[in-house]
Amino acid sequence: MSYNRTLPALAIVAALFATPVSAKTLVFCSEGSPENFYPGINTTGTSFDVNSQIYSRIVDFERGTTNVIPGLAEKWDISADGTVYTFHLRKGVKWHSNANFKPTRDMNADDILFMFERQWKESNPYFKVTSSNHSYFNDMGMPKLLKSVEKVDDYTVKVTLNAPEAPFLSDLAMEYAGVQSKEYADAMLKAGTPEKIDQEPIGSGPFYLVQYQKDAIIRYKTFPQFWGGKAAIDDLIFSITPDASVRWAKVQKGECHVMPYPNPADLDAMRKDPNVTVLEQPGLNIGYLAYNTTKKPFDDVRVRKAVNMAMNKKAIVDAVFLSSGVPATNPIPPTMWSYNKSVKDDPYDPAAAKKLLAEAGYPNGFETDLWAMPVQRPYNPNAKRIAELMQADLAKVGIQAKIVSYEWGEYRKRAQAGEHQMAQLGWTGDNGDPDNFLNTLLGCASAKSNGSNIAKFCYQPFEDLVQKAKTTSDQAERTKLYEQAQVIFKEQAPWFTIAHSVQLKPVRKEVVGFKLSPFGRHTFYGVDIK
C-alpha cells in the first residue's frame, strides 16, 4: 500500500500521464476526495464511488437497475412472517491483502457479523473507531429493527427482525453494508492501530487500493481472484478534479474516460464532440432547502409555507439547471413508484407570502441564515447561485437571508447537528424504495442529532404512515400509505423542494459497457476499453 503524501497533486497527475498508460487503464475524473474508506459512516456519493470498487455486500444491485441480486450470499431464505432471513454465503471468496496484513482464510460468517455489530453494538471494539456516527444504519432504524444476527455455521448467517421490514434486502444492498475482514480488524486491534482498516482497506471487491493522495489521485488494480471473475480492465484511476470545467477539458483531451456532474452550460458542446457520448436518464434524486423545524421562526408551519411561496422555483430551475432538471413538488422523484401526482406545489405568490408572515407575527419579515453547499452535487449544479436567487426573492417579502457556507465535510456535519435555520441539501436514492427518502430523510429516527433529517422534522401523522408502510410487503398498500405521507409533507412544508436533476454522464467512445446507475453511483466492474 503506497500513501505518497509528499508529492504535490499536480506532480502526481503529471507523472501519471507522462508514462505510457496500459490499454486497459480506465481513468475516472471524480469530483472530490472520499471521507474515508469505511462504508458504514460515509454519506456522500463521492465516498460510495471510492468504496464500491473495494468492498462486496451480502446482496447487491444488478448493474444499472434496482434489482436485488446475490452478492456474498449465494441465496437466502425468508420466513413466512417476513422476520427471519437466512443467508447462505459463497465459499472461496478471497480477501485483498496489503503491507499490513496477509489474510489466512476466506470470507466467512464472522465477517458478516462484524459488519453488523460494528455499527450496532456499542460494546464492539470498533464501534467508535473512525466515527461512532453510523448514520445510514441509524437513520433506517436498524438498531431497533434487528433482534439478532447469528452465525449458524461458517457459511450461514441468520438475521432475525423485531418486525417485518419490506425494504430490508434492498437496504442490505446499500453501500453502508460493505463487508470488511474481521481477521484484519482483529490483527490491527492487537497491533494498536485499529484505524488502519478504514485508512488502508482490505475488501473482497473487484479492485484493490494501491495508492491514495487526498485531493489528487486514487489508484486501484484489478483483483484477479474476485469471486465474480476478473475485471476486464487492469488498472482503475480516480483523478480527483473538483472543477467541472476542468473535468470536461480532461475528457476532451482523453486524459479521463468518464466524468460526473457536468456543467449544464457545457452540455451542447459535449453532445457535439465526436469522441464523446453523453449518457442520460431521469435522476432518482431531489435537491431541497430544509427548514430547521425546531428553530424559530421555522417551527411555525405558516412561516415555512410563506417562504415556499416567496421563492420563484421555475425561475431558479431555469436559470441554474437549464435543461438538466425539472421543478420538484414531492420529496421523492416522479420516476419512483408511489409518487403522488395529485399533490399540487405551493404557488409562487409573494403577496400571499407576506400575508402569511403577518399572520405568523412577522409583518416586516425577519433575519435568517441560508446555507449553500460549497460543492457541485448530482442534485444541485450550483448551490451558491441558487442561494443568491433565493436571497433576492426573500428580500422582496422582507426576509433578510445571510448566505453561509463551509467546507463540504464540515457543512454536512453542522447541518446534521441542526446548526442552521435554512440549509440546502439533497439526496440520490440508494435502493429504489420510497422508504429511503421518506423515512431516511424525514423520519423521526433520523431527526435526532447527526441524522440525515436536517429539517429535524418529526411529525407523528407522517411518521405513522411511513412506519406502517415498512411493515407490509404489499406494494399497493405501501403505495397508498406513501401517497398520503406526501400530502402531509406538502401541508407541513419542512422543505422547499427545488428540483429533480437529470443524470448526465459524458463518456469517451472507447469505453465499453459503462452503465448509468439509478443511484448515481460509478462502478467499473464490467467496463472495458476498446
Side-chain angles (χ1 to χ4, degrees):
M1 180 71 59
S2 165
Y3 281 76
N4 188 330
R5 303 195 185 278
T6 55
L7 279 175
L10 288 175
I12 289 268
V13 177
L16 167 68
F17 291 111
T19 55
V21 177
S22 157
K24 294 292 183 181
T25 296
L26 188 142
V27 183
F28 172 58
C29 261
S30 67
E31 77 284 4
S33 296
E35 297 159 284
N36 53 68
F37 293 96
Y38 173 36
I41 58 172
N42 295 155
T43 57
T44 68
T46 306
S47 295
F48 294 157
D49 287 345
V50 167
N51 286 324
S52 65
Q53 322 303 327
I54 298 170
Y55 297 107
S56 305
R57 291 167 292 283
I58 302 173
V59 292
D60 211 336
F61 290 113
E62 183 180 358
R63 208 159 56 94
T65 75
T66 58
N67 301 328
V68 175
I69 59 170
L72 294 176
E74 282 187 300
K75 58 182 181 176
W76 52 86
D77 305 311
I78 306 172
S79 65
D81 68 353
T83 61
V84 181
Y85 290 72
T86 305
F87 295 98
H88 306 280
L89 305 180
R90 294 179 188 277
K91 295 180 179 177
V93 173
K94 305 298 181 188
W95 291 104
H96 308 158
S97 63
N98 62 24
N100 301 315
F101 180 75
K102 302 290 183 277
T104 65
R105 64 164 176 82
D106 295 344
M107 181 277 304
N108 67 24
D110 293 331
D111 305 309
I112 306 299
L113 264 62
F114 177 62
M115 181 276 289
F116 280 107
E117 292 181 356
R118 179 178 182 182
Q119 303 182 65
W120 182 26
K121 297 189 180 294
E122 291 189 35
S123 59
N124 187 285
Y126 272 88
F127 184 83
K128 292 183 179 178
V129 172
T130 305
S131 171
S132 60
N133 184 19
H134 306 103
S135 54
Y136 268 83
F137 193 84
N138 295 333
D139 290 353
M140 294 188 299
M142 286 286 179
K144 287 184 178 177
L145 175 67
L146 294 172
K147 184 174 183 180
S148 64
V149 180
E150 303 165 82
K151 174 183 175 179
V152 177
D153 59 43
D154 278 353
Y155 293 97
T156 312
V157 173
K158 185 168 81 171
V159 179
T160 305
L161 310 180
N162 283 309
E165 176 87 353
F168 185 64
L169 274 179
S170 295
D171 289 347
L172 283 186
M174 288 162 52
E175 302 292 341
Y176 79 92
V179 177
Q180 295 179 301
S181 163
K182 185 172 188 299
E183 188 187 17
Y184 182 32
D186 289 344
M188 293 303 98
L189 193 65
K190 188 175 179 182
T193 56
E195 68 285 348
K196 280 197 174 180
I197 76 163
D198 300 337
Q199 295 171 355
E200 301 175 33
I202 282 175
S204 61
F207 301 95
Y208 64 90
L209 184 67
V210 176
Q211 178 193 36
Y212 169 52
Q213 182 171 351
K214 186 174 168 62
D215 299 331
I217 197 168
I218 307 171
R219 298 188 69 132
Y220 305 88
K221 280 197 172 291
T222 191
F223 182 46
Q225 295 171 293
F226 175 54
W227 56 266
K230 183 178 178 293
I233 55 175
D234 301 306
D235 296 277
L236 174 62
I237 292 162
F238 279 36
S239 177
I240 299 169
T241 313
D243 188 295
S245 298
V246 177
R247 291 199 293 276
W248 170 228
K250 287 183 176 182
V251 170
Q252 287 175 290
K253 294 176 195 169
E255 292 178 3
C256 288
H257 297 98
V258 182
M259 69 167 277
Y261 320 135
N263 279 331
D266 291 334
L267 285 171
D268 283 347
M270 291 172 176
R271 290 184 172 118
K272 290 173 185 171
D273 191 311
N275 299 310
V276 173
T277 300
V278 180
L279 302 180
E280 184 172 341
Q281 72 180 23
L284 199 71
N285 59 46
I286 175 75
Y288 58 84
L289 176 72
Y291 307 124
N292 189 332
T293 59
T294 64
K295 284 188 176 179
K296 287 188 178 300
F298 297 105
D299 58 344
D300 189 327
V301 67
R302 293 172 297 181
V303 171
R304 302 195 295 267
K305 277 287 191 183
V307 176
N308 274 7
M309 291 191 289
M311 295 185 287
N312 189 339
K313 184 180 298 185
K314 185 178 185 306
I316 290 170
V317 174
D318 287 350
V320 178
F321 288 81
L322 304 179
S323 61
S324 68
V326 293
T329 298
N330 290 324
I332 63 174
T335 52
M336 179 166 273
W337 62 269
S338 83
Y339 181 86
N340 192 336
K341 293 178 183 175
S342 66
V343 172
K344 296 285 185 279
D345 206 4
D346 294 309
Y348 170 54
D349 190 340
K354 278 186 170 183
K355 187 179 176 186
L356 257 185
L357 286 172
E359 283 179 22
Y362 300 95
N364 301 313
F366 54 86
E367 293 183 358
T368 183
D369 59 37
L370 171 51
W371 289 25
M373 296 173 297
V375 292
Q376 193 179 25
R377 301 308 303 144
Y379 47 76
N380 189 326
N382 191 335
K384 184 173 184 292
R385 180 65 184 136
I386 288 177
E388 290 167 350
L389 293 168
M390 288 176 165
Q391 182 186 50
D393 282 347
L394 293 173
K396 293 170 188 171
V397 298
I399 297 172
Q400 305 305 313
K402 179 186 177 185
I403 296 174
V404 175
S405 195
Y406 298 95
E407 177 273 327
W408 182 218
E410 189 71 12
Y411 183 98
R412 285 181 296 98
K413 182 180 173 184
R414 287 172 178 261
Q416 286 182 325
E419 293 183 18
H420 60 288
Q421 285 179 288
M422 299 194 296
Q424 284 188 61
L425 207 60
W427 190 256
T428 298
D430 297 293
N431 62 13
D433 195 289
D435 178 79
N436 182 238
F437 285 77
L438 299 173
N439 182 43
T440 306
L441 301 183
L442 293 158
C444 289
S446 62
K448 294 171 184 172
S449 184
N450 302 321
S452 297
N453 181 349
I454 68 163
K456 305 302 174 188
F457 176 69
C458 179
Y459 185 65
Q460 207 57 48
F462 178 91
E463 178 76 1
D464 290 346
L465 290 166
V466 170
Q467 295 309 317
K468 187 179 179 184
K470 288 160 69 82
T471 62
T472 175
S473 57
D474 183 336
Q475 190 162 312
E477 177 62 22
R478 294 184 76 203
T479 293
K480 287 178 190 172
L481 294 165
Y482 288 137
E483 285 176 346
Q484 292 172 49
Q486 288 164 74
V487 171
I488 292 174
F489 166 88
K490 209 64 193 178
E491 290 170 353
Q492 291 298 310
W495 296 349
F496 174 74
T497 50
I498 303 171
H500 307 290
S501 69
V502 177
Q503 188 183 171
L504 297 154
K505 212 77 59 182
V507 178
R508 286 192 62 86
K509 288 194 172 170
E510 57 265 34
V511 175
V512 178
F514 179 80
K515 290 185 178 181
L516 291 181
S517 157
F519 316 122
R521 299 285 81 84
H522 302 93
T523 54
F524 298 97
Y525 181 69
V527 179
D528 202 352
I529 295 179
K530 62 183 177 186

